[in-house]
């Protein structure tokens, strides 16, 4: 997005911004850094381990986050069986 803006390709920069904006907003659906750690775990980048005072996020919130991450294209689509 930054590269597109620096290249004055505002159409591309806006398209990228719109694609990831819901994911950026979702970073605040629970205490930060829980959403970031959860999505990184969904991506297979880190293990989903928490040290106090952090605790795992609520399952309902995690499912919403999973849908948002899938729609942004950072993880595979979630199965309907979940």
């Amino acid at each position: 997005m930054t590269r597109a803006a620096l290249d004055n390709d505002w159409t591309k920069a806006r398209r990228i911004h719109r694609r990831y904006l819901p994911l950026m907003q979702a970073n605040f659906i629970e205490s930060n850094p829980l959403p970031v750690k959860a999505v990184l775990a969904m991506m297979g980048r880190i293990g989903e381990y928490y040290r106090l005072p952090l605790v795992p996020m609520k399952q309902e919130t995690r499912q919403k986050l999973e849908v948002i991450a899938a729609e942004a294209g950072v993880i595979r689509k979630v199965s309907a069986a979940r």
Side-chain angles (χ1 to χ4, degrees):
M1 179 173 67
T2 302
R3 174 57 44 210
L6 290 171
D7 290 343
N8 282 326
D9 189 348
W10 296 104
T11 301
K12 182 177 181 179
R14 286 184 187 100
R15 185 178 67 246
I16 294 167
H17 174 74
R18 286 186 197 107
R19 177 179 179 181
Y20 293 110
L21 181 59
L23 186 59
M24 290 184 278
Q25 291 171 325
N27 282 321
F28 302 97
I29 59 176
E30 279 206 26
S31 295
N32 202 2
L34 291 180
V36 174
K37 289 178 71 77
V39 171
L40 286 170
M42 291 175 205
M43 295 170 70
R45 300 284 181 128
I46 64 171
E48 197 161 356
Y49 308 106
Y50 300 96
R51 293 181 299 181
L52 291 175
L54 295 179
V55 295
M57 63 185 348
K58 298 175 205 160
Q59 189 61 30
E60 177 184 315
T61 307
R62 193 180 190 291
Q63 289 171 345
K64 289 178 187 177
L65 183 60
E66 191 172 11
V67 169
I68 293 167
E71 288 173 352
V74 298
I75 64 170
R76 294 181 193 219
K77 297 280 184 200
V78 291
S79 66
R82 287 189 178 215

